[in-house]
Amino acid sequence: MSNIQLRRTCILACSISLLGGAFYASQSLAGAAVPEISLQERLERGEVVVGLKDIGSTKFVTGSVLINEPPERIWPIMVNPFEFLGKISPRMKEVEVVTDKANLSVLKVTLDVILIPHFTYVVESKYENGARIEFKRIGGVLKDFRGWWEMSPACNGSSTQLTYSMYIDPGFPVPQWMIREGVRAELPRTLLALRKRVGAVCENSAALETHTILAAGVNHNNALHAHLTPIEDSTQ
């Protein structure tokens, strides 16, 4: 495989990972265990910790980050694909909402990736108790794409440990270890961009995106807005 093909694969994996990507340290993909206290110390230092999780014969790449806001203030941003569009994910060019329910969405997502302009796939997401999202590919050019986002309270509820896990098979002949390496290298950028966006909204230096989906939840949006002073959204 040429360097161009490898780079394309890495960027593709990173771009797709947004829904369901020298400033961080990563866990060994060989599966070496990291003591819980070590993991917490690394997260508290602001690192994104990347590793592997085996479910049956499938290896999911995982990434964890600590965000200094409670889960209910992160959920409306993390769930909303229009927060990623043009803000967290610069390669995401279009999102079409096919199905919009409080516990389920189907989204048609278009990306511009190097050498693959207007790359489109369809993803179904299920939302659980304002804390977890499970997603899978149901259409488009990908052969397989699935995983989950999961939040858990940290620091007595004042912060959140956010974990993202994904598996992707693009459907063309690329070794899975190469796909995992591409995701491993790029996933922290997604999580850091999300943390930065949450911080900007919660610190009142940026407006919450008003275009959203039902899964973001009125209660969650109210919980977020309760901590904010209204500001003008310059994108409107």
Side-chain angles (χ1 to χ4, degrees):
M1 174 175 290
S2 69
N3 288 336
I4 291 177
Q5 288 173 312
L6 175 58
R7 178 173 174 78
R8 179 180 68 178
T9 300
C10 293
I11 293 175
L12 174 61
C14 170
S15 300
I16 293 169
S17 73
L18 296 177
L19 288 177
F23 52 84
Y24 68 91
S26 63
Q27 218 173 336
S28 170
L29 285 183
V34 175
E36 183 67 21
I37 187 171
S38 175
L39 171 62
Q40 291 305 121
E41 287 176 350
R42 294 169 68 188
L43 290 174
E44 290 171 4
R45 288 200 298 262
E47 298 178 12
V48 175
V49 181
V50 180
L52 271 186
K53 183 177 181 66
D54 291 331
I55 298 182
S57 60
T58 303
K59 293 184 181 295
F60 288 78
V61 180
T62 68
S64 295
V65 68
L66 190 67
I67 300 178
N68 293 326
E69 298 292 342
E72 64 269 18
R73 298 177 70 181
I74 298 170
W75 180 264
I77 298 171
M78 181 185 75
V79 170
N80 185 3
F82 300 101
E83 286 285 354
F84 285 79
L85 185 67
K87 300 180 181 68
I88 297 169
S89 172
R91 295 188 182 93
M92 187 182 297
K93 298 304 178 183
E94 185 177 346
V95 175
E96 177 185 343
V97 180
V98 180
T99 301
D100 188 10
K101 299 179 180 180
N103 63 349
L104 174 74
S105 73
V106 176
L107 306 173
K108 183 178 181 181
V109 181
T110 301
L111 309 170
D112 275 350
V113 184
I114 292 176
L115 302 181
I116 317 178
H118 306 301
F119 179 96
T120 299
Y121 66 99
V122 182
V123 60
E124 176 188 87
S125 299
K126 296 181 179 180
Y127 307 91
E128 302 177 13
N129 302 320
R132 181 179 172 91
I133 309 169
E134 290 195 8
F135 60 86
K136 64 180 180 180
R137 170 264 185 205
I138 61 171
V141 299
L142 295 173
K143 181 179 179 180
D144 194 359
F145 170 50
R146 50 198 155 105
W148 65 90
W149 295 81
E150 190 166 38
M151 297 190 298
S152 58
C155 305
N156 296 319
S158 64
S159 298
T160 302
Q161 181 175 322
L162 173 64
T163 298
Y164 175 74
S165 303
M166 67 160 289
Y167 169 80
I168 181 171
D169 181 349
F172 50 85
V174 180
Q176 266 299 314
W177 69 264
M178 193 173 292
I179 295 289
R180 290 195 296 269
E181 286 295 324
V183 176
R184 177 189 182 188
E186 298 287 349
L187 179 57
R189 299 184 186 182
T190 300
L191 294 176
L192 291 173
L194 175 58
R195 182 167 69 186
K196 181 178 180 180
R197 175 64 180 163
V198 169
V201 171
C202 292
E203 292 168 7
N204 204 33
S205 61
L208 183 69
E209 174 60 51
T210 56
H211 192 186
T212 187
I213 61 176
L214 290 176
V218 174
N219 291 338
H220 289 288
N221 278 287
N222 287 345
L224 177 56
H225 279 295
H227 297 271
L228 303 177
T229 301
I231 61 177
E232 181 180 356
D233 186 345
S234 61
T235 65
Q236 301 302 310

